[in-house]
PDB file of all heavy atoms in Angstrom:
ATOM      1  N   ALA J   9      -0.588-187.238 -60.295  1.00  0.00           N
ATOM      2  CA  ALA J   9      -0.860-187.317 -61.695  1.00  0.00           C
ATOM      3  C   ALA J   9      -2.302-188.003 -61.907  1.00  0.00           C
ATOM      4  O   ALA J   9      -3.023-187.399 -62.686  1.00  0.00           O
ATOM      5  CB  ALA J   9       0.194-188.079 -62.456  1.00  0.00           C
ATOM      6  N   GLN J  17     -11.644-185.672 -65.792  1.00  0.00           N
ATOM      7  CA  GLN J  17     -12.906-186.562 -66.117  1.00  0.00           C
ATOM      8  C   GLN J  17     -14.116-186.133 -65.364  1.00  0.00           C
ATOM      9  O   GLN J  17     -15.201-185.969 -66.107  1.00  0.00           O
ATOM     10  CB  GLN J  17     -12.521-188.034 -65.798  1.00  0.00           C
ATOM     11  CG  GLN J  17     -11.416-188.683 -66.624  1.00  0.00           C
ATOM     12  CD  GLN J  17     -10.940-190.082 -66.137  1.00  0.00           C
ATOM     13  OE1 GLN J  17     -11.248-190.363 -65.048  1.00  0.00           O
ATOM     14  NE2 GLN J  17     -10.270-190.732 -67.068  1.00  0.00           N
ATOM     15  N   ILE J  22     -19.328-183.519 -65.099  1.00  0.00           N
ATOM     16  CA  ILE J  22     -20.242-182.488 -64.432  1.00  0.00           C
ATOM     17  C   ILE J  22     -20.823-181.463 -65.374  1.00  0.00           C
ATOM     18  O   ILE J  22     -21.907-181.117 -65.313  1.00  0.00           O
ATOM     19  CB  ILE J  22     -19.375-181.798 -63.221  1.00  0.00           C
ATOM     20  CG1 ILE J  22     -19.150-182.866 -62.199  1.00  0.00           C
ATOM     21  CG2 ILE J  22     -20.117-180.616 -62.770  1.00  0.00           C
ATOM     22  CD1 ILE J  22     -18.169-182.250 -61.092  1.00  0.00           C
ATOM     23  N   GLY J  36     -20.741-179.372 -48.954  1.00  0.00           N
ATOM     24  CA  GLY J  36     -20.449-178.559 -47.726  1.00  0.00           C
ATOM     25  C   GLY J  36     -19.528-179.140 -46.911  1.00  0.00           C
ATOM     26  O   GLY J  36     -19.615-180.124 -46.278  1.00  0.00           O
ATOM     27  N   ARG J  51      -8.892-175.652 -47.606  1.00  0.00           N
ATOM     28  CA  ARG J  51      -8.657-174.817 -48.824  1.00  0.00           C
ATOM     29  C   ARG J  51      -8.374-175.719 -50.071  1.00  0.00           C
ATOM     30  O   ARG J  51      -8.851-175.412 -51.079  1.00  0.00           O
ATOM     31  CB  ARG J  51      -7.443-173.953 -48.541  1.00  0.00           C
ATOM     32  CG  ARG J  51      -7.726-172.708 -47.695  1.00  0.00           C
ATOM     33  CD  ARG J  51      -6.573-171.739 -47.817  1.00  0.00           C
ATOM     34  NE  ARG J  51      -5.299-172.115 -47.529  1.00  0.00           N
ATOM     35  CZ  ARG J  51      -4.747-172.100 -46.271  1.00  0.00           C
ATOM     36  NH1 ARG J  51      -5.511-171.615 -45.226  1.00  0.00           N
ATOM     37  NH2 ARG J  51      -3.595-172.545 -46.050  1.00  0.00           N
ATOM     38  N   THR J  71     -14.176-171.334 -32.727  1.00  0.00           N
ATOM     39  CA  THR J  71     -13.894-172.568 -31.817  1.00  0.00           C
ATOM     40  C   THR J  71     -15.024-172.700 -30.901  1.00  0.00           C
ATOM     41  O   THR J  71     -15.291-173.884 -30.342  1.00  0.00           O
ATOM     42  CB  THR J  71     -12.647-172.253 -31.084  1.00  0.00           C
ATOM     43  OG1 THR J  71     -11.563-172.056 -32.185  1.00  0.00           O
ATOM     44  CG2 THR J  71     -12.211-173.497 -30.252  1.00  0.00           C
ATOM     45  N   ASN J  72     -15.727-171.614 -30.427  1.00  0.00           N
ATOM     46  CA  ASN J  72     -16.672-171.658 -29.322  1.00  0.00           C
ATOM     47  C   ASN J  72     -18.066-172.101 -29.758  1.00  0.00           C
ATOM     48  O   ASN J  72     -18.973-172.077 -28.978  1.00  0.00           O
ATOM     49  CB  ASN J  72     -16.689-170.387 -28.600  1.00  0.00           C
ATOM     50  CG  ASN J  72     -17.180-169.268 -29.472  1.00  0.00           C
ATOM     51  OD1 ASN J  72     -17.498-169.328 -30.564  1.00  0.00           O
ATOM     52  ND2 ASN J  72     -17.347-168.076 -28.825  1.00  0.00           N
ATOM     53  N   THR J  74     -21.221-174.444 -30.213  1.00  0.00           N
ATOM     54  CA  THR J  74     -21.633-175.492 -29.443  1.00  0.00           C
ATOM     55  C   THR J  74     -22.012-176.688 -30.139  1.00  0.00           C
ATOM     56  O   THR J  74     -22.216-176.583 -31.375  1.00  0.00           O
ATOM     57  CB  THR J  74     -22.811-175.046 -28.602  1.00  0.00           C
ATOM     58  OG1 THR J  74     -23.981-174.843 -29.414  1.00  0.00           O
ATOM     59  CG2 THR J  74     -22.552-173.747 -27.782  1.00  0.00           C
ATOM     60  N   LEU J  98     -12.179-182.981 -39.530  1.00  0.00           N
ATOM     61  CA  LEU J  98     -11.549-183.429 -38.205  1.00  0.00           C
ATOM     62  C   LEU J  98     -10.094-183.061 -38.128  1.00  0.00           C
ATOM     63  O   LEU J  98      -9.372-183.051 -39.208  1.00  0.00           O
ATOM     64  CB  LEU J  98     -11.828-184.949 -37.997  1.00  0.00           C
ATOM     65  CG  LEU J  98     -13.180-185.372 -38.093  1.00  0.00           C
ATOM     66  CD1 LEU J  98     -13.290-186.961 -37.996  1.00  0.00           C
ATOM     67  CD2 LEU J  98     -14.128-184.755 -37.076  1.00  0.00           C
ATOM     68  N   PRO J 108     -21.151-188.267 -32.499  1.00  0.00           N
ATOM     69  CA  PRO J 108     -22.676-188.017 -32.728  1.00  0.00           C
ATOM     70  C   PRO J 108     -22.816-187.041 -33.839  1.00  0.00           C
ATOM     71  O   PRO J 108     -23.892-187.084 -34.618  1.00  0.00           O
ATOM     72  CB  PRO J 108     -23.063-187.467 -31.429  1.00  0.00           C
ATOM     73  CG  PRO J 108     -21.970-187.101 -30.653  1.00  0.00           C
ATOM     74  CD  PRO J 108     -20.918-187.890 -31.172  1.00  0.00           C
ATOM     75  N   LEU J 122     -18.200-192.312 -43.558  1.00  0.00           N
ATOM     76  CA  LEU J 122     -17.880-192.822 -42.116  1.00  0.00           C
ATOM     77  C   LEU J 122     -19.106-193.225 -41.407  1.00  0.00           C
ATOM     78  O   LEU J 122     -19.168-193.533 -40.278  1.00  0.00           O
ATOM     79  CB  LEU J 122     -17.210-191.465 -41.382  1.00  0.00           C
ATOM     80  CG  LEU J 122     -15.819-191.176 -41.893  1.00  0.00           C
ATOM     81  CD1 LEU J 122     -15.306-189.990 -41.070  1.00  0.00           C
ATOM     82  CD2 LEU J 122     -14.860-192.466 -41.832  1.00  0.00           C
ATOM     83  N   PRO J 124     -22.244-195.244 -39.976  1.00  0.00           N
ATOM     84  CA  PRO J 124     -22.443-196.676 -39.817  1.00  0.00           C
ATOM     85  C   PRO J 124     -23.203-197.272 -40.952  1.00  0.00           C
ATOM     86  O   PRO J 124     -22.930-198.429 -41.347  1.00  0.00           O
ATOM     87  CB  PRO J 124     -23.160-196.828 -38.561  1.00  0.00           C
ATOM     88  CG  PRO J 124     -22.877-195.537 -37.791  1.00  0.00           C
ATOM     89  CD  PRO J 124     -22.680-194.475 -38.782  1.00  0.00           C
ATOM     90  N   ARG J 138     -17.962-194.626 -50.161  1.00  0.00           N
ATOM     91  CA  ARG J 138     -16.852-195.203 -49.616  1.00  0.00           C
ATOM     92  C   ARG J 138     -15.952-194.279 -48.945  1.00  0.00           C
ATOM     93  O   ARG J 138     -15.667-193.202 -49.354  1.00  0.00           O
ATOM     94  CB  ARG J 138     -16.189-196.129 -50.658  1.00  0.00           C
ATOM     95  CG  ARG J 138     -16.964-197.212 -51.338  1.00  0.00           C
ATOM     96  CD  ARG J 138     -17.310-198.301 -50.487  1.00  0.00           C
ATOM     97  NE  ARG J 138     -17.795-199.421 -51.194  1.00  0.00           N
ATOM     98  CZ  ARG J 138     -18.978-200.038 -50.957  1.00  0.00           C
ATOM     99  NH1 ARG J 138     -19.842-199.394 -50.044  1.00  0.00           N
ATOM    100  NH2 ARG J 138     -19.354-201.072 -51.490  1.00  0.00           N
ATOM    101  N   THR J 184      -6.364-211.849 -49.931  1.00  0.00           N
ATOM    102  CA  THR J 184      -6.193-212.409 -48.579  1.00  0.00           C
ATOM    103  C   THR J 184      -5.664-211.410 -47.671  1.00  0.00           C
ATOM    104  O   THR J 184      -4.450-211.049 -47.937  1.00  0.00           O
ATOM    105  CB  THR J 184      -5.286-213.741 -48.685  1.00  0.00           C
ATOM    106  OG1 THR J 184      -5.875-214.601 -49.571  1.00  0.00           O
ATOM    107  CG2 THR J 184      -5.200-214.361 -47.355  1.00  0.00           C
ATOM    108  N   ILE J 187      -4.735-207.898 -40.976  1.00  0.00           N
ATOM    109  CA  ILE J 187      -4.725-206.466 -40.400  1.00  0.00           C
ATOM    110  C   ILE J 187      -3.679-206.517 -39.171  1.00  0.00           C
ATOM    111  O   ILE J 187      -3.889-207.283 -38.330  1.00  0.00           O
ATOM    112  CB  ILE J 187      -6.095-206.068 -39.863  1.00  0.00           C
ATOM    113  CG1 ILE J 187      -7.065-206.128 -41.085  1.00  0.00           C
ATOM    114  CG2 ILE J 187      -6.024-204.612 -39.394  1.00  0.00           C
ATOM    115  CD1 ILE J 187      -8.565-205.850 -40.681  1.00  0.00           C
ATOM    116  N   LYS J 191       0.795-202.337 -32.119  1.00  0.00           N
ATOM    117  CA  LYS J 191       1.104-203.283 -30.996  1.00  0.00           C
ATOM    118  C   LYS J 191       1.033-204.727 -31.464  1.00  0.00           C
ATOM    119  O   LYS J 191       1.193-205.597 -30.577  1.00  0.00           O
ATOM    120  CB  LYS J 191      -0.169-203.137 -30.029  1.00  0.00           C
ATOM    121  CG  LYS J 191      -0.186-201.760 -29.225  1.00  0.00           C
ATOM    122  CD  LYS J 191      -1.213-201.586 -28.268  1.00  0.00           C
ATOM    123  CE  LYS J 191      -1.142-200.264 -27.616  1.00  0.00           C
ATOM    124  NZ  LYS J 191      -2.239-200.081 -26.501  1.00  0.00           N
ATOM    125  N   GLU J 203       2.645-209.458 -50.323  1.00  0.00           N
ATOM    126  CA  GLU J 203       2.893-209.130 -51.686  1.00  0.00           C
ATOM    127  C   GLU J 203       2.485-207.587 -51.952  1.00  0.00           C
ATOM    128  O   GLU J 203       3.090-206.942 -52.673  1.00  0.00           O
ATOM    129  CB  GLU J 203       2.043-209.935 -52.574  1.00  0.00           C
ATOM    130  CG  GLU J 203       2.570-211.419 -52.554  1.00  0.00           C
ATOM    131  CD  GLU J 203       1.540-212.396 -53.361  1.00  0.00           C
ATOM    132  OE1 GLU J 203       0.549-212.706 -52.761  1.00  0.00           O
ATOM    133  OE2 GLU J 203       1.859-212.637 -54.550  1.00  0.00           O
ATOM    134  N   ALA J 208      -0.774-197.542 -42.734  1.00  0.00           N
ATOM    135  CA  ALA J 208      -1.593-196.414 -42.394  1.00  0.00           C
ATOM    136  C   ALA J 208      -1.642-196.407 -40.789  1.00  0.00           C
ATOM    137  O   ALA J 208      -2.660-196.360 -40.196  1.00  0.00           O
ATOM    138  CB  ALA J 208      -3.046-196.396 -42.872  1.00  0.00           C
ATOM    139  N   VAL J 226       4.303-201.383 -52.180  1.00  0.00           N
ATOM    140  CA  VAL J 226       4.111-200.738 -50.872  1.00  0.00           C
ATOM    141  C   VAL J 226       3.344-199.412 -51.029  1.00  0.00           C
ATOM    142  O   VAL J 226       3.754-198.474 -51.746  1.00  0.00           O
ATOM    143  CB  VAL J 226       5.530-200.370 -50.173  1.00  0.00           C
ATOM    144  CG1 VAL J 226       5.314-199.548 -48.936  1.00  0.00           C
ATOM    145  CG2 VAL J 226       6.251-201.623 -49.887  1.00  0.00           C
ATOM    146  N   ASN J 232       3.076-187.432 -41.827  1.00  0.00           N
ATOM    147  CA  ASN J 232       3.661-187.004 -40.519  1.00  0.00           C
ATOM    148  C   ASN J 232       4.405-185.652 -40.736  1.00  0.00           C
ATOM    149  O   ASN J 232       5.381-185.648 -41.681  1.00  0.00           O
ATOM    150  CB  ASN J 232       4.586-188.094 -40.029  1.00  0.00           C
ATOM    151  CG  ASN J 232       3.934-189.456 -39.834  1.00  0.00           C
ATOM    152  OD1 ASN J 232       3.018-189.657 -38.990  1.00  0.00           O
ATOM    153  ND2 ASN J 232       4.134-190.338 -40.760  1.00  0.00           N
ATOM    154  N   GLU J 250      13.567-193.957 -48.364  1.00  0.00           N
ATOM    155  CA  GLU J 250      14.903-194.261 -48.921  1.00  0.00           C
ATOM    156  C   GLU J 250      15.481-195.645 -48.802  1.00  0.00           C
ATOM    157  O   GLU J 250      16.105-196.180 -49.639  1.00  0.00           O
ATOM    158  CB  GLU J 250      15.937-193.197 -48.336  1.00  0.00           C
ATOM    159  CG  GLU J 250      15.709-191.784 -48.710  1.00  0.00           C
ATOM    160  CD  GLU J 250      14.516-191.141 -48.060  1.00  0.00           C
ATOM    161  OE1 GLU J 250      14.002-191.764 -47.075  1.00  0.00           O
ATOM    162  OE2 GLU J 250      14.124-190.077 -48.579  1.00  0.00           O
ATOM    163  N   PRO J 261       4.995-192.313 -52.989  1.00  0.00           N
ATOM    164  CA  PRO J 261       5.732-191.380 -52.256  1.00  0.00           C
ATOM    165  C   PRO J 261       4.844-190.527 -51.377  1.00  0.00           C
ATOM    166  O   PRO J 261       3.652-190.569 -51.491  1.00  0.00           O
ATOM    167  CB  PRO J 261       6.254-190.403 -53.515  1.00  0.00           C
ATOM    168  CG  PRO J 261       5.064-190.562 -54.476  1.00  0.00           C
ATOM    169  CD  PRO J 261       4.605-191.823 -54.409  1.00  0.00           C
ATOM    170  N   ASN J 289     -30.274-191.994 -64.515  1.00  0.00           N
ATOM    171  CA  ASN J 289     -30.278-192.253 -65.923  1.00  0.00           C
ATOM    172  C   ASN J 289     -29.598-190.954 -66.708  1.00  0.00           C
ATOM    173  O   ASN J 289     -29.635-190.941 -67.941  1.00  0.00           O
ATOM    174  CB  ASN J 289     -31.596-192.463 -66.456  1.00  0.00           C
ATOM    175  CG  ASN J 289     -32.055-193.813 -65.893  1.00  0.00           C
ATOM    176  OD1 ASN J 289     -31.341-194.729 -65.692  1.00  0.00           O
ATOM    177  ND2 ASN J 289     -33.481-193.816 -65.616  1.00  0.00           N
TER     178      ASN J 289
END
Side-chain angles (χ1 to χ4, degrees):
Q17 295 169 345
I22 287 169
R51 281 198 302 272
T71 303
N72 62 358
T74 68
L98 303 177
L122 297 177
R138 301 292 195 239
T184 301
I187 305 176
K191 294 184 180 179
E203 295 172 276
V226 176
N232 306 283
E250 290 76 15
N289 296 324

